[in-house]
Amino acid sequence: MKILGDSNSGNCLKVKWVSDYLGLRYGWVEVDTLRGGSRTPEFLELNPFGQVPAVDFEDGRTLAQSNAIIRYLARDSDLVPKDAFAAARMDAWLFWEQYSHVPYVAVCRFQMVYLGKRQSELDPNLVKRGYAALDQLEQQLARTHHLLGDAFSLADVALLAYTRLAHQGGFDMARYGAVRRWIADSERVLKLAPVR
Ligand SMILES: N[C@@H](CCC(=O)N[C@@H](CS)C(=O)NCC(=O)O)C(=O)O
């Protein structure tokens, strides 16, 4: 399969990490989204949403949306609980990540790193909602080792993607001891070098 992704994007890295963890064979096609690489006619043919990541299974099937992709790739692995209710709890984290975490934590980082905004120029509501998401993670991770409890799952992969970059969006991570412990543990599981 081919993964079409931007290696600066947490959403795309989720797909790479899961593929590496599972030992899947894939080719990586780098797409420069900042220069319109996801809006070319060839790309839109593969993914009409015009976003990365997208996976081309090279048998006529394609799939978009990071969490749908990792959900599919990891379907029979230890990254997805066998128990249906536990799997639904994992999905709850995946939906929460897209609606209540990424739009604040990742967007602040995008604006600072790629648009060159200063921290003081960020919309205070984005920052407030970003801290609310980080508080939520801290509460959970002060109680359990991973987001679902003892087992590392796709919930940890998905939430790791932008939480480990939150400091680049101006978030003060010093107050999040449990989150920092979980980031280090999750990076060890996925064999990732820590981010500066
Ligand atoms: N919900 C989507 C979000 C994908 C997304 O926003 N991708 C960004 C990069 S992180 C992108 O392709 N931006 C370029 C564009 O929208 O033109 C997912 O999880 O895959």
Side-chain angles (χ1 to χ4, degrees):
M1 68 183 182
K2 275 194 211 133
I3 302 172
L4 293 92
D6 178 333
S7 33
N8 294 310
S9 148
N11 281 323
C12 298
L13 290 175
K14 289 176 199 172
V15 179
K16 179 182 188 327
W17 297 339
V18 167
S19 301
D20 289 341
Y21 179 90
L22 298 173
L24 303 178
R25 283 162 53 88
Y26 64 90
W28 179 271
V29 181
E30 186 69 21
V31 178
D32 188 343
T33 53
L34 293 178
R35 291 175 197 272
S38 59
R39 299 301 164 114
T40 63
E42 301 77 45
F43 186 91
L44 291 172
E45 188 80 22
L46 278 173
N47 178 15
F49 297 153
Q51 291 178 325
V52 287
V55 170
D56 181 356
F57 291 98
E58 301 179 287
D59 58 2
R61 294 178 308 150
T62 57
L63 191 59
Q65 295 294 325
S66 59
N67 290 346
I69 297 169
I70 59 175
R71 198 65 174 78
Y72 176 68
L73 296 178
R75 63 196 179 282
D76 293 324
S77 77
D78 63 357
L79 293 175
V80 177
K82 299 280 174 283
D83 174 73
F85 186 71
R89 286 186 54 236
M90 181 191 81
D91 290 336
W93 280 112
L94 299 186
F95 286 110
W96 179 80
E97 184 249 4
Q98 288 285 294
Y99 194 73
S100 302
H101 183 281
V102 168
Y104 308 110
V105 175
V107 168
C108 287
R109 178 218 175 216
F110 181 84
Q111 294 189 353
M112 286 185 69
V113 175
Y114 298 103
L115 304 186
K117 280 197 183 181
R118 286 191 293 267
Q119 197 173 345
S120 57
E121 294 172 314
L122 295 172
D123 174 350
N125 189 49
L126 286 185
V127 176
K128 186 174 152 207
R129 300 291 298 265
Y131 274 118
L134 295 169
D135 289 349
Q136 198 73 46
L137 287 177
E138 180 72 11
Q139 269 180 37
Q140 179 64 43
L141 293 165
R143 293 202 304 266
T144 56
H145 197 72
H146 300 295
L147 288 172
L148 289 188
D150 292 337
F152 184 80
S153 75
L154 291 183
D156 301 292
V157 175
L159 265 312
L160 179 67
Y162 288 103
T163 305
R164 75 200 285 255
L165 305 177
H167 59 285
Q168 296 178 357
F171 292 98
D172 172 13
M173 298 304 284
R175 64 173 96 165
Y176 295 115
V179 170
R180 285 187 284 113
R181 186 270 307 151
W182 164 83
I183 290 173
D185 286 349
S186 302
E187 287 174 340
R188 258 192 301 279
V189 173
L190 295 170
K191 300 190 170 61
L192 307 176
V195 183
R196 300 259 161 255

